[in-house]
Amino acid sequence: MDTSRTPGGRPAGRVPAYLGSRKNIAGSACGLAGLVLTFTGLAGAYWPVVVAGLYGAGALIAPPERPPVPVFPDPSTQLDAVRTDYHALCGYLDEVELPPAASGRLTELTELLDGLLAPGPVAEALAADPEGVHVLARAVRQDLLESVDAFVRVRPWTRMVPGTEPPERHLEQQLALLHREIEALATSLREAETRRQQTHTRYLEDRGRNG
């Protein structure tokens, strides 16, 4: 860390920032007015005090500096990252052998995810919904992966210890719940686009009546 300081005690790194600040600009403008008073003879022998006082007054009345606004990732960028992770997840799912019923439910779910993530109007609507992107990211990066991987981890135990509850039963239930959640997301996106279309129709109707 650079701890160098100016002779006045101000950290050296802050000096350039202060020179361009609103306070310094306003104070300098007022101080310049004090110099004008000095040259016209109105400030008298106390001109240094007048100049310094006007500079201080200008610095005090200047509006505070606006801190830089943090820049966060655009939702479309986040969706691109989810799409990349989903492709990686599909590579893993292709290597897993599932019972027919669970495999069927997984196919239904992945087809829905494929439709939401495919580039086009649907993905554009999803990218404009940060909460929807979050739901989809959680399903891809956490829920779906954990459901299938938990089944893979538990399955060998059922062969070693017969009579326990079949792990595919839990997997089928989890996949059904995930499908219901993602389907609800797709439905909400469709309804939002439908409302947008209907709103535009009403706008055109109102404009025609008032025109």
Side-chain angles (χ1 to χ4, degrees), residues 98-182:
L98 299 178
S103 180
R105 288 197 176 275
L106 179 61
T107 298
E108 293 175 353
L109 177 57
T110 54
E111 287 178 350
L112 188 56
L113 292 172
D114 288 340
L116 287 170
L117 288 170
V122 175
E124 292 171 5
L126 176 60
D129 181 5
E131 181 61 28
V133 174
H134 170 71
V135 170
L136 197 64
R138 182 179 59 194
V140 169
R141 294 169 175 165
Q142 177 180 331
D143 297 330
L144 180 52
L145 176 61
E146 174 60 24
S147 294
V148 176
D149 193 52
F151 168 78
V152 173
R153 294 195 309 268
V154 174
R155 180 171 50 183
W157 291 98
T158 60
R159 299 170 182 170
M160 297 172 56
V161 186
T164 57
E165 186 176 13
E168 55 266 26
R169 184 177 303 169
H170 284 285
L171 177 60
E172 292 170 20
Q173 182 180 4
Q174 292 165 6
L175 294 175
L177 291 171
L178 282 172
H179 186 276
R180 187 184 308 168
E181 182 179 47
I182 301 304

Side-chain angles (χ1 to χ4, degrees), residues 27-98:
S28 298
C30 291
L32 183 61
L35 290 176
V36 172
L37 294 176
T38 299
F39 293 143
T40 58
L42 297 177
Y46 298 102
W47 69 267
V49 177
V50 172
V51 172
L54 288 175
Y55 175 88
L60 287 175
I61 64 175
E65 291 294 318
R66 179 172 177 264
V69 177
V71 179
F72 299 112
D74 185 81
S76 60
T77 303
Q78 298 180 39
L79 189 60
D80 289 339
V82 175
R83 187 180 290 115
T84 299
D85 293 341
Y86 176 64
H87 290 326
L89 175 64
C90 287
Y92 165 76
L93 296 176
D94 289 340
E95 299 295 326
V96 177
E97 182 180 351
L98 299 178

